[in-house]
Amino acid sequence: MTGGLLNYVSCGVLWLGLLVKAPDLLRHRRDPYLRAICAVLGLAGLCFFLGAPPTVGAVNRIGGVPNLAAPLTYAAITGYCAASQVLIVHWRGGPRVRRTARRWIVAYAVIVVGITATFALGEAPVERRTDLDTYYATTPYIAQMIVLYLLAHLTAATVTAVSSLRWARRVGGGLRAGLLLLGAGAGCGAGYSVSKLVAVAARWTGRDWTTLGTSVSAAAAGLGALLTVVGVLVPLTAPRAAEARRARRTYARLEPLERALDEVLTRRRLRLPRPRFASPVTRLMWRQTSILNALGHLDAYVDRDLLPRPRRRAGGDGRPGARRGRRLGRRDHRGGTAGGRPRVPPSRSAARPPAPVPEPELLVRIADALAGPAPALPVPAMPTGTPTAGTA
């Protein structure tokens, strides 16, 4: 039962990865790269499902043929090998991608035909749910079927591991991590085939290394399935994780600017309801929208001729921009000052084009300036020799 549980867990992990990739496949049905990835995940999960001892027993019982599950499982493994090679071909690219992929598919289709033919020619009357490879390692035709699928799987796993690790040296970021994990998973898959082949070869020499072909190979296959799924999903999730980190950082940096505009936002009810259980990107959009609502309201009281100067200064050290930002932030609907002159809001009928929407980077720079300490105003030096008040 332990071996069956390991198979079903591995199958579930692989099909969970397939479920994550399924929306992308539905949106881009003609993308051969996505089709290859989904085929790898789906067929790998099918291999574990068919190879689980409870499933083996059910297939044999329903089919009425002892060990019928063996060629079905081997055919699924061969299909997985073909999908892996097609995936590698599309990774590499080049002018002959379709032709090369077609050749791999035809080659592994021939192997499936060979598995079917050798099983039909051989005799395997005793049902073996976990150790069929070693039990029938010396049986004519059945032994050839076993060696055929193991060599096909070893070839595919080796090519996948080498290609993934070689490509990982030329890229970086999430794609590099995904390729390293995928290469490690393929290496574990190769370990599965090698342990099976060694156990079969030991059986040819009269030794009984059944544990190597059952427990060790199953552990290698399970670990390989986990690494493969993570390797496929990391390049997909890494950009989203990086975007979430940037959104959280920007959200925190905009807090001083929102706090400076809090009076306007509260008095005019311009702040949108705070989203609950929202993603970092959604929370950032909420804060940016609130800030833009307040700035849009204050636009009627701001002399736009003064805006280019603090904008340029905010891009420098931020100190003059901070003073101007605090001055603009404290203005409300009652009016303000601009250059020492009383500022009266224009009438509703006055023609005034809408203010341009500030760039998010500009909002962040203004918020950073507001977060810093207010600069001390310069004190004019007293000229030497000038009499002070109260002296004769």
Side-chain angles (χ1 to χ4, degrees):
M1 184 58 67
T2 303
L5 180 61
L6 179 60
N7 276 62
Y8 290 136
V9 169
S10 301
C11 173
V13 170
L14 288 161
W15 282 353
L16 179 62
L18 175 61
L19 184 63
V20 172
K21 294 295 294 181
D24 293 335
L25 181 63
L26 292 177
R27 288 192 297 267
H28 308 283
R29 293 183 180 89
R30 297 184 178 180
D31 189 339
Y33 176 71
L34 280 175
R35 289 204 302 264
I37 288 180
C38 292
V40 167
L41 295 175
L43 289 172
L46 182 62
C47 295
F48 282 103
F49 179 76
L50 292 175
T55 306
V56 171
V59 170
N60 294 338
R61 184 175 61 257
I62 294 173
V65 178
N67 299 307
L68 177 63
L72 294 179
T73 304
Y74 299 162
I77 292 175
T78 305
Y80 162 76
C81 295
S84 300
Q85 296 310 304
V86 171
L87 178 61
I88 294 297
V89 168
H90 286 292
W91 272 352
R92 291 174 176 173
R96 299 181 179 179
V97 170
R98 292 185 178 180
R99 181 181 300 180
T100 305
R102 192 180 301 114
R103 288 178 178 177
W104 279 112
I105 293 174
V106 170
Y108 279 95
V110 171
I111 294 174
V112 171
V113 173
I115 290 173
T116 305
T118 50
F119 181 77
L121 293 173
E123 294 183 1
V126 180
E127 182 185 61
R128 309 300 298 186
R129 297 188 180 185
T130 58
D131 61 346
L132 184 140
D133 299 320
T134 53
Y135 187 86
Y136 288 105
T138 57
T139 302
Y141 295 109
I142 302 299
Q144 283 75 13
M145 177 188 69
I146 295 169
V147 173
L148 183 61
Y149 100 84
L150 287 175
L151 289 178
H153 183 266
L154 178 60
T155 301
T158 302
V159 173
T160 302
V162 172
S163 300
S164 300
L165 297 177
R166 183 179 299 171
W167 190 21
R169 291 184 294 182
R170 300 196 297 265
V171 296
L175 181 57
R176 176 185 176 86
L179 288 171
L180 291 174
L181 290 169
L182 190 60
C188 292
Y192 164 85
S193 299
V194 170
S195 61
K196 288 275 190 181
L197 285 171
V198 171
V200 169
R203 184 74 171 82
W204 292 343
T205 60
R207 297 180 177 87
D208 185 8
W209 291 358
T210 303
T211 303
L212 184 62
T214 55
S215 301
V216 175
S217 62
L223 180 59
L226 177 62
L227 293 174
T228 298
V229 171
V230 177
V232 170
L233 296 182
V234 161
L236 175 67
T237 58
R240 297 179 183 177
E243 182 183 11
R245 286 195 300 269
R246 289 193 297 268
R248 282 193 293 267
R249 186 163 52 247
T250 305
Y251 177 85
R253 291 175 64 183
L254 286 176
E255 196 272 337
L257 180 55
E258 184 191 7
R259 187 171 61 247
L261 298 171
D262 182 71
E263 183 179 357
V264 176
L265 288 169
T266 304
R267 182 177 300 174
R268 292 294 178 177
R269 299 180 180 179
L270 300 175
R271 182 183 282 111
L272 299 176
R274 184 185 296 271
R276 294 183 178 181
F277 309 107
S279 66
V281 176
T282 302
R283 291 199 299 270
L284 174 61
M285 292 177 60
W286 168 79
R287 176 159 281 178
Q288 287 177 334
T289 302
S290 299
I291 291 173
L292 292 177
N293 287 344
L295 294 179
H297 175 75
L298 293 175
D299 176 63
Y301 311 100
V302 174
D303 189 345
R304 295 185 184 175
D305 294 336
L306 300 177
L307 291 180
R309 196 163 32 186
R311 178 176 300 179
R312 287 195 300 268
R313 291 178 178 176
D317 59 4
R319 296 303 179 226
R323 291 196 298 270
R324 192 67 54 86
R326 291 189 178 92
R327 191 186 310 165
L328 294 178
R330 283 194 292 266
R331 290 173 180 166
D332 57 18
H333 66 284
R334 293 173 295 181
T337 61
R341 303 187 306 274
R343 178 68 174 168
V344 180
S347 63
R348 293 181 181 271
S349 60
R352 180 180 175 90
V357 179
E359 295 291 334
E361 293 80 4
L362 177 60
L363 295 179
V364 172
R365 290 199 297 269
I366 295 175
D368 289 343
L370 291 171
L377 295 177
V379 178
M382 185 68 65
T384 305
T386 303
T388 59
T391 60

